[in-house]
Amino acid sequence: MKYYFFLLFMMFSVFGFSQKSKVDFKAIEKSFNNSDSPYKYEMLIFKYKGYPKSLDSIESQYLYYGRNFRTDKVTTSDEAFASLAEAFKQNNFEECIKQGKTLYDKDPTNLDILLILLRAYDSVKDGNNFMHHLSQFRSLADGIKSSGDGKSEKTAYLVNSVGDEYILLNILNIGKDYTRGSKPSKDGMFDVWEKEGQKIYIKVLYLDI
């Protein structure tokens, strides 16, 4: 889906820079189903669905990276997502909304699904749903951007998937004029995007869950 992302980023300006906070995956996993934690995943999902603008950057981190600890994620290789992607390619936006809503209910923090719904709602001039999902998208993007500054391996931006990496690249306005180098690590892959001596470090996570 990465070749469709630019269509959405032409539609609206994304996001200032948020306060950086190191991602604590052990704490996120521990809080996932902990009813005593203010960061319990289902509690954050409830807030995210109801009033996403109220999420702070730490809550957004717990939401975005907490998705790694779900066992029912929708992936781009799923048949249902392939059907949604095909409807999107055909510009069948009513069908996109129908299928996208079903997948959103299963996996509400899936950035690929959110982007398709945004494009579909914009196309059918449904401003209310568009703005609501845009607020959700911004909250998740804030969680990613608060994970680092991209200036070194130690402070790399952290993303859950290669697809999310391309979404982040669009947000950062990193285009085809950048070259990419890759380096494996024990729990992911570092991609280094470089242009005229400027380097941006992004780590794609491969968490052993």
Side-chain angles (χ1 to χ4, degrees):
M1 295 301 298
K2 66 185 181 183
Y3 37 89
Y4 293 115
F5 293 156
F6 76 96
L7 296 174
L8 286 151
F9 290 97
M10 290 173 64
M11 291 160 39
F12 46 81
S13 174
V14 265
F15 331 122
F17 291 92
S18 55
Q19 183 177 358
K20 308 305 177 185
S21 178
K22 185 176 180 180
V23 181
D24 188 339
F25 293 106
K26 290 184 178 179
I28 292 173
E29 183 178 17
K30 184 177 180 180
S31 297
F32 189 82
N33 289 316
N34 184 354
S35 59
D36 295 326
S37 172
Y39 300 116
K40 181 182 177 182
Y41 189 76
E42 289 305 322
M43 290 176 60
L44 293 178
I45 285 289
F46 182 81
K47 189 174 182 179
Y48 165 84
K49 286 184 173 181
Y51 192 50
K53 290 182 179 180
S54 67
L55 293 164
D56 62 33
S57 61
I58 299 299
E59 290 172 322
S60 295
Q61 274 192 5
Y62 272 68
L63 261 180
Y64 176 73
Y65 298 105
R67 184 172 176 266
N68 287 296
F69 304 101
R70 295 186 58 165
T71 59
D72 56 349
K73 297 188 295 287
V74 176
T75 69
T76 54
S77 60
D78 291 347
E79 184 177 341
F81 185 85
S83 177
L84 173 63
E86 183 60 30
F88 182 80
K89 291 178 185 178
Q90 299 299 323
N91 292 326
N92 187 346
F93 297 117
E94 294 289 353
E95 187 63 22
C96 280
I97 291 170
K98 178 182 177 182
Q99 294 187 35
K101 286 171 67 176
T102 298
L103 295 183
Y104 168 83
D105 286 341
K106 294 179 179 178
D107 192 359
T109 61
N110 185 309
L111 293 183
D112 294 317
I113 294 170
L114 282 179
L115 283 174
I116 290 176
L117 282 173
L118 280 169
R119 177 74 169 109
Y121 281 126
D122 179 65
S123 296
V124 301
K125 310 302 180 186
D126 185 340
N128 289 334
N129 276 310
F130 176 87
M131 291 306 299
H132 182 69
H133 286 309
L134 179 59
S135 293
Q136 292 177 326
F137 183 85
R138 282 176 166 161
S139 294
L140 297 175
D142 185 58
I144 296 172
K145 291 192 288 87
S146 68
S147 68
D149 59 17
K151 295 181 179 179
S152 68
E153 288 186 8
K154 289 185 177 180
T155 62
Y157 293 112
L158 307 178
V159 294
N160 289 337
S161 68
V162 173
D164 288 1
E165 178 182 17
Y166 279 93
I167 292 172
L168 177 61
L169 291 173
N170 276 278
I171 292 172
L172 299 175
N173 198 30
I174 295 175
K176 294 181 179 180
D177 50 343
Y178 281 75
T179 59
R180 183 183 70 176
S182 297
K183 175 184 175 181
S185 70
K186 66 177 182 179
D187 56 354
M189 176 72 73
F190 284 106
D191 283 339
V192 184
W193 296 85
E194 184 173 2
K195 175 186 176 182
E196 297 175 355
Q198 179 186 6
K199 294 182 179 180
I200 301 292
Y201 292 80
I202 300 174
K203 186 176 182 179
V204 183
L205 300 169
Y206 301 145
L207 298 181
D208 184 14
I209 299 170

